[in-house]
Amino acid sequence: MKSYLEALANGENLGVSEMSEAAGLLFEDSVSDSEIAALLMGLKMKGETSEEIAGFVEALRRHALTFSKTYPGIIDNCGTGGDGSHSFNISTTSAFVLAGAGLKVAKHGNRSVSSKTGSADVLDALGVALDFTVEEVDELLEDNGISFLFAPHVHPKIKRIMKVRKDLKVPTVFNLLGPLINPVELDTQLLGIYQREGLEMMAQALHHLGRKRAVVLNGAGYMDEASLAGENHAILLADGKLERFTFHPEELGLNTYPLEAIKGGNAHDNAEILLRVLKGEKGAPYQTVLLNSSLALLAHGTAADLKEGIALAEESIQSGAALSKLNYLIEFSQKRKKGVKEA
């Protein structure tokens, strides 16, 4: 560890394999809390690179639960958080729209960190279990096309590192890692970040991590989701190449709304908004979900452009397919709780 800390202190960048080894040492009992803090702060002070982010992710995934099954084209859609918008759970709602459109979705998430309500909070309020086993996740992905992976459950060895992170009380590389450490081997991803200047770095990190296709976006108002409030900025990763693009909701046949129109509340408030959207209630939350779902469909390659993605997303909702994916997950969780499962 000493050599890596010295390198960071000297302003040197670590390669993917070096960072992976250094981050792997954080799980060793011989490494102190002070050394964990030093590594996190060394990266922060120097400034993280895409290679360092990818290497850190590799180390965290090595110590997560192991998912051996592979699903061609499997996707996750998530933002880093930290945008201060207090929006409802846009990515979580969109995940069911994607599943309803026929995609395999491994939705990885956590309880609230920087917002009022995290994905785990809203799903818990809806009755979805947070501790699916590896076998149950595989079963849900196979039969339902979507499952939820609760970060603390699938990363059981990370507790001490997270305590140090919390004690530091300043943003660290972990503020970027959350959406990247899904233990399921992803082919594609929609990743939202609140720092527009970090778009290319995060897109390069996804490339290092082997994503075949991805979209990294920063929304109007510097949201970590696509926003109806104005111009959005994004990068498409496809065939190893990065393509920058911008889009405005009005260009896509959507309305503009201020950020206040998509504010959420506590877990039960956001669960109600999620259900209203999946039941087809029109308005700012509905159109926001259409826009974000369309970006994920573009990232996946199912939609050739955002207009086609919006049409596919709307069909998923209006047909009832998206809501049925949520209902399946809730019913599975309830039967599991009672110790009863369908044969």
Side-chain angles (χ1 to χ4, degrees), residues 19-38:
M19 189 72 253
S20 180
E21 183 176 344
L25 293 173
L26 302 184
F27 293 90
E28 301 292 335
D29 291 338
S30 58
V31 171
S32 67
D33 287 359
S34 296
E35 287 175 304
I36 295 174

Side-chain angles (χ1 to χ4, degrees), residues 293-306:
S293 299
S294 73
L295 279 159
L297 288 160
L298 175 66
H300 189 265
T302 295
D305 55 41
L306 293 180

Side-chain angles (χ1 to χ4, degrees), residues 125-194:
L126 288 163
V128 175
L130 302 182
D131 59 347
F132 293 128
T133 65
V134 169
E135 293 75 21
E136 287 171 330
V137 169
D138 283 332
E139 182 181 343
L140 285 164
L141 288 173
E142 193 67 48
D143 298 341
N144 190 43
I146 183 170
S147 184
F148 183 67
L149 296 93
F150 183 41
H153 177 65
V154 296
H155 297 280
K157 300 179 183 178
I158 206 173
K159 290 179 181 178
R160 184 166 72 110
I161 302 172
M162 298 310 288
K163 181 185 180 301
V164 173
R165 175 205 177 188
K166 187 175 180 181
D167 289 345
L168 285 173
K169 295 182 174 62
V170 295
T172 67
V173 68
F174 273 93
N175 292 73
L176 303 174
L177 297 180
L180 303 178
I181 59 175
N182 192 323
V184 172
E185 198 67 44
L186 300 175
D187 279 346
T188 63
Q189 188 159 2
L190 174 65
L191 170 63
I193 64 172
Y194 70 93

Side-chain angles (χ1 to χ4, degrees), residues 182-228:
N182 192 323
V184 172
E185 198 67 44
L186 300 175
D187 279 346
T188 63
Q189 188 159 2
L190 174 65
L191 170 63
I193 64 172
Y194 70 93
Q195 300 161 310
R196 191 162 295 169
E197 65 276 10
L199 284 170
E200 186 170 340
M201 179 180 70
M202 296 302 280
Q204 290 285 7
L206 289 175
H207 176 57
H208 290 309
L209 290 168
R211 304 293 190 268
K212 295 174 182 175
R213 291 179 61 92
V215 168
V216 183
L217 74 102
N218 173 256
Y222 293 90
M223 283 190 68
D224 69 335
E225 311 274 3
S227 165
L228 300 170

Side-chain angles (χ1 to χ4, degrees), residues 35 39 48 58 70 97 109 176 189 259 267 302 336:
E35 287 175 304
L39 186 70
E48 300 92 346
E58 285 185 358
T70 57
V97 177
L176 303 174
Q189 188 159 2
L259 295 182
T302 295
R336 174 182 183 269

Side-chain angles (χ1 to χ4, degrees), residues 10-314:
N10 292 328
E12 298 172 20
N13 295 329
L14 302 181
V16 174
S17 60
E18 291 175 307
M19 189 72 253
S20 180
E21 183 176 344
L25 293 173
L26 302 184
F27 293 90
E28 301 292 335
D29 291 338
S30 58
V31 171
S32 67
D33 287 359
S34 296
E35 287 175 304
I36 295 174
L39 186 70
L40 298 181
M41 290 306 297
L43 283 169
K44 178 181 175 60
M45 297 303 292
K46 178 187 70 64
E48 300 92 346
T49 66
S50 60
E51 290 87 353
E52 288 164 344
I53 291 170
F56 217 121
V57 169
E58 285 185 358
L60 296 180
R61 292 183 73 247
R62 279 201 309 273
H63 289 85
L65 297 185
T66 301
F67 292 81
S68 56
K69 282 192 178 181
T70 57
Y71 298 91
I74 193 164
I75 191 170
D76 191 7
N77 65 318
C78 189
T80 58
D83 63 13
S85 67
H86 302 298
S87 59
F88 75 100
N89 297 91
I90 298 167
S91 294
T92 307
T93 311
S94 299
F96 294 104
V97 177
L98 300 178
L103 276 58
K104 296 279 189 190
V105 185
K107 186 72 180 88
H108 178 259
N110 207 339
R111 292 197 181 275
S112 172
V113 176
S114 60
S115 61
K116 288 184 179 179
T117 305
S119 55
D121 298 307
V122 73
L123 291 175
D124 188 27
L126 288 163
V128 175
L130 302 182
D131 59 347
F132 293 128
T133 65
V134 169
E135 293 75 21
E136 287 171 330
V137 169
D138 283 332
E139 182 181 343
L140 285 164
L141 288 173
E142 193 67 48
D143 298 341
N144 190 43
I146 183 170
S147 184
F148 183 67
L149 296 93
F150 183 41
H153 177 65
V154 296
H155 297 280
K157 300 179 183 178
I158 206 173
K159 290 179 181 178
R160 184 166 72 110
I161 302 172
M162 298 310 288
K163 181 185 180 301
V164 173
R165 175 205 177 188
K166 187 175 180 181
D167 289 345
L168 285 173
K169 295 182 174 62
V170 295
T172 67
V173 68
F174 273 93
N175 292 73
L176 303 174
L177 297 180
L180 303 178
I181 59 175
N182 192 323
V184 172
E185 198 67 44
L186 300 175
D187 279 346
T188 63
Q189 188 159 2
L190 174 65
L191 170 63
I193 64 172
Y194 70 93
Q195 300 161 310
R196 191 162 295 169
E197 65 276 10
L199 284 170
E200 186 170 340
M201 179 180 70
M202 296 302 280
Q204 290 285 7
L206 289 175
H207 176 57
H208 290 309
L209 290 168
R211 304 293 190 268
K212 295 174 182 175
R213 291 179 61 92
V215 168
V216 183
L217 74 102
N218 173 256
Y222 293 90
M223 283 190 68
D224 69 335
E225 311 274 3
S227 165
L228 300 170
E231 188 175 66
N232 298 265
H233 293 249
I235 291 179
L236 171 67
L237 165 66
D239 301 320
K241 298 177 182 178
L242 305 185
E243 178 187 344
R244 280 186 172 269
F245 64 102
T246 60
F247 55 95
H248 192 284
E250 290 180 347
E251 300 168 352
L252 303 170
L254 301 174
N255 299 324
T256 56
Y257 288 94
L259 295 182
E260 290 76 19
I262 57 170
K263 276 198 173 180
N266 61 32
H268 292 285
D269 296 331
N270 286 12
E272 285 298 317
I273 297 172
L274 182 153
L275 287 172
R276 289 201 300 269
V277 170
L278 295 188
K279 289 175 181 177
E281 182 180 305
K282 303 293 178 66
Y286 179 86
Q287 289 200 5
T288 299
V289 168
L290 291 184
L291 182 58
N292 282 275
S293 299
S294 73
L295 279 159
L297 288 160
L298 175 66
H300 189 265
T302 295
D305 55 41
L306 293 180
K307 284 188 176 180
E308 182 182 2
I310 288 170
L312 292 171
E314 189 146 37

